[in-house]
Amino acid sequence: MTDVTVLGGGIIGMTAAIRLQQRGARVTVVCAAGTLETVSAVAAAVWYPTHTDPEPRVRRWVERSYAEFLGQAEAGVPGVLLRRTRMLVRADPPWWAPPGTTTTAHDLRFTAPLTEMDRYLPWLHDRIVASGGRFVRRRVEDPAELLDRSAAVVNATGLAAPDPDLYPVRGQLVLVTNPGLDESIRDEDNPAGITYVHPRRRDTVLGGTFEPDRTDLEPDPRQRAAIIDRCTALVPELRGARVLGDRVGLRPARRGGPRVEAVDGPDGRIVHAYGHGGAGMTMSWGCADEVADLVLG
Ligand SMILES: Cc1cc2nc3c(=O)[nH]c(=O)nc-3n(C[C@H](O)[C@H](O)[C@H](O)COP(=O)(O)OP(=O)(O)OC[C@H]3O[C@@H](n4cnc5c(N)ncnc54)[C@H](O)[C@@H]3O)c2cc1C
């Protein structure tokens, strides 16, 4: 049995760990913080390949992930929902419309998988443990340190990977009560700021912001007010919805797109898997397939 260490316990590291286990590897996940202290835990976590390039591998990742989430929703995996969604189109339609999309000059309508991360990340964690995986809480400066105990290491450290092409894109969300909505809507190119409303089971996610290179993590009250105003203009039923909280996180964006690449050194193979920007959930399972291929050959 091949021993593999996955460095990073966000959505990218944990989906890779599961794919590796499914292909027979013995997996240890090493992470500096708990599963719910990751950027992945902040995400609205809706399948929407926005701000991605239409390269063949990204197309493969998003399509495979879409199919995986449809199957998980059908199987009743905790936290996985399917929502009808409507995306306003102000310029050209995007490259990634999934099967069943209907398009007009003004919008795209399709079914978007969504993962409620407070339930989904613990489910991924427990699935890894149930298949014999281990979690170790530890900060690691260099993934190569871990090659002394495993044949290969997956570096899924998100924004923490030392790479000059990585940069943060700050995102702020507001959580409010759900006034009975069951369809999501996005107006990404709203000149006043990216705007989206994603109803979940127990709340509604209102977004958002997209600020390259801003790194403070305190919720900005002016941004909160502006998000609520834009979302309420788009969905008037939100008027009067109670604010439940704010979420702020730094998307791990990378010039040139995600780095998913194997590098062989004297002590073994490191497979890098980071830089998924604002679409880590959207690419996760498809990317995990490729990581498993790179690790196990
Ligand atoms: C506001 C917001 C909204 C978003 N909405 C969506 C959305 O709707 N759809 C979508 O697809 N994506 C969305 N995203 C993007 C998504 O959250 C990210 O792409 C994704 O979480 C990246 O996952 P990751 O596993 O690479 O990184 P992370 O979740 O950051 O995980 C990194 C892991 O590495 C560990 N680590 C880091 N450094 C070390 C070290 N030195 N030693 C040990 N461990 C280390 C951390 O502890 C953590 O476990 C959103 C992001 C934000 C901020």
Side-chain angles (χ1 to χ4, degrees):
M1 196 181 252
T2 313
D3 280 303
V4 181
T5 303
V6 175
L7 182 58
I11 184 89
I12 297 299
M14 289 206 287
T15 52
I18 290 170
R19 284 295 189 245
L20 286 161
Q21 288 181 319
Q22 288 172 330
R23 290 176 55 174
R26 184 161 43 210
V27 175
T28 302
V29 180
V30 176
C31 40
T35 303
L36 294 177
E37 297 163 71
T38 55
V39 178
S40 301
V42 173
V46 190
W47 186 97
Y48 250 97
T50 50
H51 300 278
T52 57
D53 294 325
E55 354 163 9
R57 63 178 197 153
V58 172
R59 185 182 290 272
R60 195 169 60 242
W61 296 343
V62 304
E63 287 173 357
R64 284 193 179 187
S65 303
Y66 189 86
E68 179 71 27
F69 288 124
L70 290 191
Q72 291 187 2
E74 203 167 299
V77 167
V80 182
L81 300 179
L82 300 180
R83 288 278 192 229
R84 283 178 299 123
T85 191
R86 183 168 161 234
M87 175 178 172
L88 306 191
V89 176
R90 290 175 185 256
D92 294 332
W95 59 267
W96 43 258
T101 299
T102 56
T103 314
T104 70
H106 310 291
D107 65 20
L108 238 71
R109 289 168 193 256
F110 59 97
T111 298
L114 178 157
T115 51
E116 295 176 331
M117 289 302 217
D118 59 340
R119 302 178 72 206
Y120 191 62
L121 294 174
W123 178 79
L124 294 175
H125 172 281
D126 293 351
R127 186 170 160 183
I128 293 166
V129 172
S131 301
R134 280 195 320 134
F135 278 75
V136 175
R137 183 78 76 91
R138 186 183 144 201
R139 178 166 293 283
V140 173
E141 293 317 319
D142 179 356
E145 283 173 35
L146 299 167
L147 284 169
D148 60 350
R149 69 193 70 170
S150 46
V153 171
V154 176
N155 174 22
T157 50
L159 194 57
D163 179 334
D165 287 322
L166 269 176
Y167 61 98
V169 177
R170 183 181 182 280
Q172 179 164 330
L173 308 172
V174 186
L175 304 184
V176 301
T177 49
N178 185 346
L181 306 173
D182 63 2
E183 185 180 59
S184 72
I185 182 161
R186 278 176 102 108
D187 184 7
E188 298 240 330
D189 300 319
N190 184 335
I194 182 170
T195 305
Y196 50 85
V197 175
H198 286 293
R200 306 195 290 191
R201 258 183 275 248
R202 289 158 296 167
D203 59 12
T204 304
V205 179
L206 308 185
T209 63
F210 195 89
E211 294 180 282
D213 294 323
R214 178 171 170 184
T215 56
D216 58 293
L217 290 173
E218 276 304 299
D220 178 329
R222 275 175 312 174
Q223 288 189 333
R224 178 198 301 141
I227 289 169
I228 292 171
D229 283 353
R230 292 200 303 275
C231 290
T232 307
L234 194 60
V235 181
E237 295 95 309
L238 286 167
R239 194 159 291 123
R242 195 159 46 84
V243 174
L244 301 173
D246 305 281
R247 297 286 181 274
V248 181
L250 305 179
R251 302 173 180 93
R254 183 171 181 272
R255 282 172 282 275
R259 183 177 184 205
V260 178
E261 180 188 14
V263 177
D264 288 323
D267 299 321
R269 172 167 285 200
I270 296 177
V271 174
H272 297 284
Y274 60 79
H276 295 75
M281 171 273 189
T282 305
M283 299 183 195
S284 55
W285 286 101
C287 181
D289 286 329
E290 185 156 334
V291 169
D293 288 344
L294 291 170
V295 170
L296 301 172

XYZ file of all heavy atoms in Angstrom, residues 14-104:
704
model
N -8.853 17.607 1.136
C -9.695 16.477 1.582
C -10.289 15.696 0.407
O -10.391 14.467 0.469
C -10.765 16.953 2.549
C -10.150 17.346 3.901
S -11.300 17.204 5.274
C -12.356 18.597 4.960
N -10.685 16.383 -0.672
C -11.204 15.618 -1.820
C -10.078 14.795 -2.440
O -10.296 13.645 -2.846
C -11.871 16.532 -2.878
O -10.982 17.591 -3.230
C -13.165 17.132 -2.359
N -8.862 15.351 -2.485
C -7.720 14.569 -3.007
C -7.473 13.351 -2.121
O -7.224 12.240 -2.618
C -6.477 15.454 -3.080
N -7.550 13.553 -0.788
C -7.313 12.439 0.137
C -8.308 11.304 -0.131
O -7.938 10.116 -0.151
C -7.429 12.929 1.580
N -9.559 11.657 -0.364
C -10.585 10.622 -0.598
C -10.320 9.887 -1.909
O -10.379 8.651 -1.976
C -12.000 11.243 -0.559
C -12.321 11.648 0.880
C -13.053 10.280 -1.109
C -13.565 12.484 1.049
N -10.002 10.629 -2.965
C -9.705 9.955 -4.240
C -8.491 9.023 -4.096
O -8.476 7.923 -4.659
C -9.439 10.981 -5.340
C -10.688 11.646 -5.862
C -11.601 10.633 -6.554
N -12.711 11.273 -7.251
C -13.992 11.119 -6.923
N -14.349 10.344 -5.907
N -14.928 11.725 -7.624
N -7.489 9.453 -3.333
C -6.302 8.606 -3.126
C -6.681 7.340 -2.360
O -6.246 6.234 -2.699
C -5.221 9.395 -2.384
C -4.504 10.439 -3.250
C -3.804 11.486 -2.382
C -3.481 9.754 -4.168
N -7.501 7.501 -1.337
C -7.946 6.315 -0.581
C -8.728 5.367 -1.477
O -8.560 4.145 -1.413
C -8.836 6.740 0.589
C -8.073 7.418 1.716
C -9.004 7.795 2.858
O -10.119 8.273 2.639
N -8.538 7.607 4.091
N -9.584 5.940 -2.340
C -10.389 5.080 -3.220
C -9.512 4.287 -4.173
O -9.921 3.258 -4.681
C -11.390 5.943 -4.013
C -12.512 6.468 -3.140
C -13.389 7.471 -3.881
O -12.925 8.180 -4.775
N -14.652 7.538 -3.499
N -8.292 4.802 -4.414
C -7.381 4.083 -5.310
C -6.336 3.295 -4.526
O -5.298 2.926 -5.056
C -6.771 5.072 -6.285
C -7.861 5.538 -7.271
C -7.427 6.573 -8.233
N -6.263 6.195 -9.000
C -5.777 6.924 -10.002
N -6.397 8.026 -10.363
N -4.696 6.545 -10.636
N -6.600 3.080 -3.235
C -5.799 2.137 -2.473
C -4.674 2.731 -1.643
O -3.920 1.983 -1.018
N -4.529 4.051 -1.603
C -3.428 4.642 -0.825
C -3.803 4.729 0.660
O -4.982 4.816 1.019
C -3.107 6.031 -1.358
N -2.754 4.694 1.514
C -2.946 4.946 2.943
C -2.606 6.417 3.160
O -1.483 6.851 2.880
C -2.021 4.043 3.749
C -2.226 4.160 5.249
C -1.657 2.976 5.986
N -0.356 2.601 5.460
C 0.135 1.359 5.468
N -0.551 0.372 5.986
N 1.341 1.095 4.980
N -3.590 7.213 3.668
C -3.448 8.671 3.631
C -3.394 9.271 5.034
O -4.173 8.903 5.915
C -4.634 9.299 2.855
C -4.581 10.823 2.909
C -4.622 8.827 1.403
N -2.442 10.190 5.217
C -2.418 11.047 6.404
C -2.616 12.487 5.935
O -1.967 12.913 4.980
C -1.053 10.949 7.118
O -0.823 9.580 7.457
C -1.014 11.794 8.375
N -3.528 13.194 6.588
C -3.742 14.611 6.262
C -3.102 15.436 7.371
O -3.431 15.260 8.547
C -5.247 14.944 6.161
C -5.454 16.419 5.825
C -5.927 14.063 5.116
N -2.187 16.321 6.992
C -1.525 17.201 7.965
C -2.045 18.610 7.724
O -2.008 19.094 6.584
C 0.010 17.157 7.779
C 0.691 18.136 8.723
C 0.530 15.739 7.994
N -2.545 19.261 8.767
C -3.035 20.636 8.560
C -2.791 21.471 9.801
O -2.827 20.974 10.926
C -4.495 20.671 8.146
S -5.558 19.525 8.979
N -2.530 22.756 9.547
C -2.166 23.672 10.626
C -3.372 24.040 11.479
O -3.226 24.382 12.651
C -1.538 24.924 10.031
N -4.559 23.986 10.893
C -5.763 24.419 11.620
C -6.884 23.429 11.366
O -6.775 22.556 10.498
C -6.163 25.808 11.137
N -7.955 23.588 12.134
C -9.093 22.667 12.005
C -9.824 22.865 10.685
O -9.720 23.911 10.038
N -10.572 21.842 10.326
C -11.316 21.843 9.071
C -12.187 23.086 8.896
O -12.300 23.635 7.803
C -12.224 20.589 9.077
O -11.390 19.464 9.260
C -13.008 20.435 7.825
N -12.812 23.527 10.006
C -13.740 24.660 9.895
C -13.036 26.005 10.069
O -13.680 27.043 10.113
C -14.896 24.497 10.891
C -15.797 23.296 10.586
C -16.881 23.132 11.645
C -16.445 23.421 9.198
N -11.689 25.965 10.157
C -10.920 27.227 10.231
C -10.232 27.524 8.904
O -9.281 28.296 8.847
C -9.878 27.127 11.339
C -10.480 26.950 12.729
C -9.437 26.448 13.719
O -8.548 27.223 14.070
O -9.519 25.264 14.099
N -10.680 26.900 7.846
C -10.053 27.065 6.530
C -10.803 28.120 5.707
O -11.926 28.507 6.048
C -10.118 25.733 5.767
O -11.497 25.325 5.717
C -9.315 24.653 6.455
N -10.195 28.540 4.602
C -10.922 29.400 3.657
C -12.133 28.640 3.114
O -13.207 29.210 2.895
C -10.002 29.828 2.483
C -10.774 30.674 1.469
C -8.793 30.584 2.985
N -11.952 27.345 2.938
C -13.049 26.524 2.409
C -14.314 26.650 3.262
O -15.428 26.605 2.736
C -12.620 25.054 2.342
O -11.487 24.909 1.510
N -14.130 26.823 4.565
C -15.292 26.918 5.452
C -16.039 28.242 5.278
O -17.206 28.350 5.647
C -14.854 26.750 6.910
N -15.363 29.260 4.720
C -15.995 30.573 4.521
C -16.822 30.599 3.243
O -17.795 31.337 3.122
C -14.895 31.671 4.443
C -15.497 33.023 4.068
C -14.131 31.767 5.754
N -16.435 29.777 2.273
C -16.985 29.893 0.918
C -18.507 29.813 0.881
O -19.123 29.077 1.650
C -16.408 28.779 0.043
N -19.084 30.558 -0.058
C -20.503 30.382 -0.375
C -20.689 28.958 -0.902
O -21.724 28.335 -0.707
C -20.940 31.393 -1.415
N -19.623 28.471 -1.566
C -19.525 27.066 -1.990
C -20.653 26.640 -2.918
O -21.328 25.636 -2.697
C -19.406 26.152 -0.774
N -20.823 27.436 -3.951
C -21.781 27.123 -4.995
C -20.993 26.790 -6.258
O -19.969 27.421 -6.537
C -22.680 28.337 -5.293
C -23.827 27.932 -6.209
C -23.214 28.930 -4.004
N -21.482 25.795 -7.006
C -20.808 25.429 -8.258
C -21.054 26.529 -9.270
O -22.149 26.624 -9.832
C -21.326 24.089 -8.776
C -20.592 23.579 -9.981
C -19.571 22.670 -9.996
C -20.812 23.931 -11.356
N -19.144 22.463 -11.286
C -19.881 23.220 -12.140
C -21.694 24.801 -12.003
C -19.824 23.334 -13.529
C -21.623 24.923 -13.390
C -20.695 24.186 -14.133
N -20.064 27.384 -9.475
C -20.136 28.506 -10.430
C -18.705 28.767 -10.888
O -17.923 29.358 -10.139
C -20.669 29.762 -9.721
C -22.064 30.195 -10.123
C -23.171 29.833 -9.371
C -22.268 30.979 -11.256
C -24.458 30.237 -9.722
C -23.554 31.386 -11.612
C -24.639 31.011 -10.847
O -25.907 31.411 -11.196
N -18.329 28.326 -12.084
C -16.914 28.462 -12.475
C -16.522 29.886 -12.880
O -15.929 30.103 -13.931
C -16.784 27.511 -13.658
C -18.002 26.663 -13.645
C -19.074 27.499 -13.021
N -16.859 30.848 -12.059
C -16.556 32.232 -12.435
C -15.075 32.521 -12.224
O -14.412 31.877 -11.408
C -17.388 33.205 -11.592
O -17.249 32.841 -10.239
C -18.844 33.128 -11.979
N -14.571 33.491 -12.944
C -13.157 33.885 -12.879
C -12.235 32.690 -13.142
O -11.221 32.520 -12.481
C -12.804 34.517 -11.517
C -13.604 35.741 -11.226
N -13.284 36.985 -11.719
C -14.728 35.913 -10.504
C -14.174 37.869 -11.307
N -15.062 37.244 -10.570
N -12.637 31.824 -14.065
C -11.770 30.703 -14.449
C -11.514 30.790 -15.949
O -12.311 31.368 -16.686
C -12.428 29.335 -14.155
O -13.680 29.286 -14.858
C -12.660 29.113 -12.684
N -10.416 30.196 -16.390
C -10.094 30.204 -17.820
C -10.640 28.937 -18.466
O -10.616 27.872 -17.855
C -8.570 30.226 -18.007
C -7.997 31.531 -17.501
O -8.685 32.553 -17.646
O -6.885 31.514 -16.949
N -11.087 29.074 -19.733
C -11.664 27.890 -20.398
C -10.607 26.925 -20.918
O -10.643 26.499 -22.063
C -12.463 28.515 -21.553
C -11.771 29.792 -21.847
C -11.174 30.277 -20.557
N -9.622 26.584 -20.091
C -8.642 25.612 -20.580
C -9.224 24.204 -20.418
O -10.047 23.972 -19.542
C -7.311 25.615 -19.856
C -6.993 26.588 -18.850
C -5.810 26.082 -18.025
O -5.174 25.076 -18.379
O -5.552 26.701 -17.002
N -8.742 23.248 -21.235
C -9.348 21.904 -21.198
C -9.327 21.274 -19.813
O -10.277 20.638 -19.392
C -8.485 21.100 -22.175
C -7.864 22.114 -23.066
C -7.742 23.390 -22.279
N -8.248 21.465 -19.050
C -8.207 20.762 -17.753
C -9.197 21.403 -16.775
O -9.851 20.705 -16.004
C -6.793 20.708 -17.180
C -6.225 22.035 -16.877
C -4.841 21.952 -16.267
N -4.601 23.253 -15.660
C -3.820 23.484 -14.653
N -3.165 22.508 -14.093
N -3.676 24.691 -14.172
N -9.363 22.710 -16.827
C -10.344 23.351 -15.945
C -11.744 22.901 -16.329
O -12.573 22.581 -15.470
C -10.211 24.897 -16.003
C -11.347 25.566 -15.238
C -8.862 25.345 -15.452
N -11.993 22.818 -17.650
C -13.303 22.332 -18.110
C -13.564 20.918 -17.581
O -14.629 20.607 -17.066
C -13.321 22.329 -19.646
C -14.667 21.965 -20.236
C -14.569 21.932 -21.755
N -14.404 23.255 -22.337
C -15.410 24.059 -22.667
N -16.652 23.673 -22.449
N -15.185 25.237 -23.207
N -12.521 20.069 -17.633
C -12.674 18.689 -17.141
C -12.967 18.698 -15.632
O -13.842 17.999 -15.154
C -11.373 17.936 -17.443
C -11.453 16.456 -17.335
C -10.213 15.780 -17.895
N -8.975 16.164 -17.219
C -7.951 16.776 -17.800
N -8.003 17.095 -19.072
N -6.855 17.088 -17.114
N -12.223 19.509 -14.894
C -12.423 19.543 -13.428
C -13.835 19.987 -13.080
O -14.477 19.396 -12.216
C -11.435 20.502 -12.769
C -10.001 20.112 -12.901
C -9.488 18.891 -13.247
C -8.874 20.978 -12.720
N -8.126 18.944 -13.273
C -7.717 20.209 -12.954
C -8.729 22.325 -12.381
C -6.438 20.738 -12.853
C -7.462 22.861 -12.278
C -6.320 22.079 -12.512
N -14.318 21.072 -13.735
C -15.631 21.587 -13.330
C -16.735 20.625 -13.756
O -17.710 20.429 -13.025
C -15.890 23.038 -13.830
C -14.800 23.984 -13.364
C -16.077 23.137 -15.329
N -16.572 19.978 -14.910
C -17.607 19.034 -15.355
C -17.654 17.810 -14.439
O -18.723 17.345 -14.053
C -17.343 18.605 -16.805
C -17.653 19.719 -17.796
C -17.257 19.402 -19.245
O -16.680 18.321 -19.504
O -17.518 20.258 -20.092
N -16.485 17.297 -14.095
C -16.461 16.111 -13.209
C -17.013 16.449 -11.829
O -17.691 15.652 -11.198
C -15.041 15.603 -13.055
C -14.590 14.850 -14.279
C -13.328 14.117 -13.947
N -12.871 13.357 -15.091
C -11.858 12.512 -15.063
N -11.213 12.308 -13.933
N -11.489 11.863 -16.117
N -16.683 17.628 -11.342
C -17.181 18.025 -10.018
C -18.691 18.173 -10.060
O -19.393 17.755 -9.135
C -16.529 19.341 -9.578
O -15.126 19.205 -9.585
N -19.189 18.763 -11.127
C -20.641 18.940 -11.272
C -21.334 17.576 -11.178
O -22.284 17.398 -10.409
C -20.929 19.612 -12.619
C -22.355 20.055 -12.799
C -22.777 21.297 -12.335
C -23.289 19.231 -13.431
C -24.101 21.713 -12.501
C -24.605 19.636 -13.595
C -24.999 20.878 -13.128
O -26.306 21.276 -13.280
N -20.813 16.615 -11.944
C -21.420 15.273 -11.940
C -21.322 14.634 -10.549
O -22.275 14.007 -10.062
C -20.729 14.389 -12.977
N -20.196 14.835 -9.878
C -20.021 14.261 -8.537
C -21.038 14.867 -7.554
O -21.674 14.145 -6.773
C -18.589 14.517 -8.043
C -18.286 14.000 -6.642
C -18.200 12.477 -6.555
O -17.862 11.832 -7.563
O -18.476 11.940 -5.458
N -21.196 16.182 -7.598
C -22.147 16.815 -6.671
C -23.587 16.386 -6.964
O -24.370 16.202 -6.030
C -22.025 18.343 -6.719
C -20.763 18.864 -6.080
C -19.887 19.666 -6.792
C -20.449 18.554 -4.767
C -18.721 20.141 -6.208
C -19.283 19.023 -4.176
C -18.416 19.817 -4.895
N -23.930 16.213 -8.250
C -25.291 15.728 -8.561
C -25.503 14.366 -7.903
O -26.530 14.106 -7.278
C -25.508 15.587 -10.067
C -25.607 16.842 -10.928
C -26.084 16.466 -12.335
C -26.540 17.874 -10.343
N -24.503 13.488 -8.031
C -24.609 12.146 -7.440
C -24.691 12.216 -5.922
O -25.465 11.490 -5.293
N -23.897 13.107 -5.316
C -23.902 13.222 -3.850
C -25.248 13.764 -3.357
O -25.755 13.330 -2.321
C -22.754 14.113 -3.389
C -21.393 13.454 -3.615
C -20.247 14.240 -3.028
O -20.427 15.276 -2.402
N -19.041 13.753 -3.225
N -25.823 14.718 -4.116
C -27.136 15.257 -3.700
C -28.167 14.132 -3.737
O -28.976 13.976 -2.819
C -27.542 16.404 -4.621
N -28.109 13.340 -4.813
C -29.056 12.237 -4.942
C -28.875 11.225 -3.816
O -29.837 10.657 -3.302
C -28.813 11.565 -6.290
C -30.000 10.807 -6.812
C -29.755 10.461 -8.282
O -29.590 11.384 -9.095
O -29.697 9.262 -8.559
N -27.617 11.020 -3.401
C -27.334 10.046 -2.342
C -27.585 10.629 -0.942
O -27.397 9.934 0.058
C -25.879 9.587 -2.458
N -27.957 11.903 -0.856
C -28.272 12.502 0.449
C -27.054 12.832 1.292
O -27.113 12.843 2.527
N -25.926 13.144 0.635
C -24.722 13.513 1.402
C -25.005 14.798 2.195
O -25.550 15.757 1.643
C -23.524 13.711 0.434
C -22.366 14.380 1.135
C -23.110 12.360 -0.144
N -24.640 14.836 3.489
C -24.945 16.013 4.318
C -24.370 17.297 3.724
O -23.211 17.354 3.342
C -24.265 15.693 5.657
C -24.133 14.211 5.675
C -23.977 13.774 4.246
N -25.232 18.315 3.649
C -24.774 19.638 3.212
C -24.832 19.870 1.713
O -24.598 20.989 1.267
N -25.140 18.840 0.923
C -25.154 19.040 -0.535
C -26.587 19.331 -0.989
O -27.496 18.544 -0.743
C -24.612 17.803 -1.280
C -24.581 18.056 -2.782
C -23.223 17.445 -0.770
N -26.757 20.464 -1.648
C -28.067 20.880 -2.148
C -27.980 21.141 -3.642
O -26.920 21.506 -4.141
C -28.488 22.221 -1.528
C -28.638 22.369 -0.040
C -29.043 23.805 0.275
C -29.722 21.421 0.432
N -29.097 20.983 -4.332
C -29.182 21.438 -5.719
C -30.194 22.575 -5.748
O -31.282 22.444 -5.192
C -29.673 20.313 -6.640
C -28.811 19.051 -6.678
C -29.432 18.031 -7.640
C -27.383 19.377 -7.115
N -29.800 23.694 -6.372
C -30.699 24.846 -6.437
C -30.834 25.324 -7.870
O -29.817 25.430 -8.579
C -30.107 26.019 -5.636
C -30.143 25.839 -4.143
C -31.512 26.228 -3.629
N -31.507 26.330 -2.188
C -32.418 25.753 -1.415
N -33.367 25.010 -1.929
N -32.388 25.927 -0.113
N -32.063 25.625 -8.265
C -32.212 26.335 -9.532
C -31.530 27.681 -9.371
O -31.582 28.295 -8.305
C -33.699 26.540 -9.843
C -34.374 25.282 -10.347
C -35.857 25.504 -10.602
N -36.532 25.889 -9.364
C -37.236 27.005 -9.212
N -37.350 27.872 -10.173
N -37.827 27.264 -8.059
N -30.865 28.118 -10.441
C -30.165 29.391 -10.351
C -30.349 30.185 -11.626
O -30.623 29.618 -12.688
C -28.663 29.169 -10.064
O -28.051 30.414 -9.727
C -27.929 28.588 -11.257
N -30.202 31.475 -11.490
C -30.346 32.386 -12.623
C -29.158 33.322 -12.587
O -28.889 33.953 -11.567
C -31.650 33.143 -12.428
C -31.970 34.052 -13.535
C -33.421 34.536 -13.386
N -33.507 35.722 -14.208
C -33.925 36.910 -13.801
N -34.364 37.071 -12.574
N -33.920 37.921 -14.633
N -28.415 33.352 -13.688
C -27.251 34.232 -13.745
C -27.516 35.319 -14.782
O -27.772 35.021 -15.954
C -26.020 33.427 -14.161
C -24.805 34.295 -14.345
S -23.395 33.294 -14.782
C -22.223 34.597 -15.149
N -27.496 36.566 -14.339
C -27.729 37.658 -15.283
C -26.513 37.796 -16.183
O -25.372 37.680 -15.728
C -27.979 38.963 -14.531
C -29.105 38.924 -13.487
C -29.430 40.337 -13.018
C -30.358 38.251 -14.043
N -26.772 38.006 -17.466
C -25.673 38.123 -18.426
C -25.683 39.548 -18.966
O -26.616 39.959 -19.634
C -25.852 37.111 -19.575
C -24.768 37.300 -20.618
C -25.818 35.689 -19.043
N -24.640 40.278 -18.604
C -24.547 41.665 -19.080
C -23.657 41.769 -20.305
O -23.756 42.711 -21.070
C -23.981 42.566 -17.980
C -24.956 42.765 -16.833
C -24.307 43.564 -15.730
N -25.163 43.682 -14.573
C -25.842 44.787 -14.264
N -25.780 45.853 -15.013
N -26.583 44.811 -13.165
N -22.707 40.798 -20.448
C -21.823 40.827 -21.615
C -21.974 39.491 -22.349
O -23.079 39.040 -22.576
C -20.389 41.064 -21.151
N -20.846 38.827 -22.683
C -20.941 37.543 -23.373
C -21.318 36.452 -22.365
O -20.877 36.490 -21.221
C -19.582 37.166 -23.979
C -19.219 38.144 -25.076
O -20.143 38.703 -25.681
O -18.009 38.360 -25.285
N -22.095 35.438 -22.801
C -22.364 34.327 -21.875
C -21.063 33.599 -21.538
O -20.125 33.617 -22.340
C -23.312 33.423 -22.661
C -23.452 33.998 -24.012
C -22.718 35.290 -24.104
N -20.982 32.985 -20.363
C -19.737 32.325 -19.967
C -19.504 31.039 -20.766
O -20.410 30.527 -21.402
C -19.966 32.011 -18.498
C -21.441 31.890 -18.361
C -22.038 32.824 -19.359
N -18.289 30.511 -20.672
C -17.898 29.337 -21.461
C -18.399 28.027 -20.862
O -18.373 26.995 -21.515
C -16.367 29.273 -21.592
C -15.639 29.194 -20.270
C -15.158 30.240 -19.549
C -15.319 28.018 -19.531
N -14.577 29.804 -18.389
C -14.649 28.438 -18.353
C -15.520 26.645 -19.725
C -14.193 27.540 -17.386
C -15.068 25.761 -18.755
C -14.412 26.208 -17.606
N -18.887 28.049 -19.596
C -18.999 26.796 -18.856
C -20.425 26.302 -18.616
O -20.625 25.415 -17.784
C -18.327 26.973 -17.490
C -18.634 28.285 -16.816
C -17.819 29.375 -16.761
C -19.839 28.657 -16.125
N -18.436 30.399 -16.081
C -19.673 29.984 -15.668
C -21.037 27.993 -15.845
C -20.655 30.672 -14.953
C -22.024 28.671 -15.127
C -21.823 29.990 -14.696
N -21.429 26.813 -19.340
C -22.824 26.443 -19.025
C -23.008 24.922 -18.950
O -22.662 24.212 -19.891
C -23.740 27.019 -20.084
N -23.552 24.399 -17.837
C -23.716 22.944 -17.704
C -24.905 22.426 -18.501
O -25.720 23.220 -18.979
C -23.948 22.761 -16.201
C -24.547 24.034 -15.754
C -23.976 25.116 -16.629
N -25.031 21.080 -18.639
C -26.152 20.520 -19.400
C -27.479 21.007 -18.825
O -27.608 21.180 -17.605
C -26.014 19.008 -19.187
C -24.645 18.789 -18.658
C -24.172 20.059 -18.049
N -28.454 21.208 -19.690
C -29.775 21.614 -19.230
C -29.925 23.115 -19.056
O -30.981 23.594 -18.647
N -28.864 23.885 -19.358
C -28.949 25.335 -19.204
C -29.866 25.923 -20.275
O -29.794 25.529 -21.439
C -27.545 25.960 -19.370
O -26.695 25.431 -18.369
C -27.592 27.481 -19.240
N -30.743 26.836 -19.871
C -31.489 27.593 -20.881
C -30.938 29.005 -20.882
O -30.597 29.552 -19.831
C -33.000 27.614 -20.581
O -33.189 28.144 -19.275
C -33.605 26.233 -20.665
N -30.836 29.581 -22.053
C -30.167 30.872 -22.189
C -31.075 31.856 -22.914
O -31.714 31.499 -23.895
C -28.887 30.696 -23.059
O -28.200 29.558 -22.594
C -27.983 31.900 -22.987
N -31.136 33.077 -22.427
C -31.770 34.157 -23.175
C -30.709 35.244 -23.341
O -29.577 35.083 -22.871
C -32.970 34.758 -22.415
O -32.461 35.474 -21.288
C -33.943 33.693 -21.948
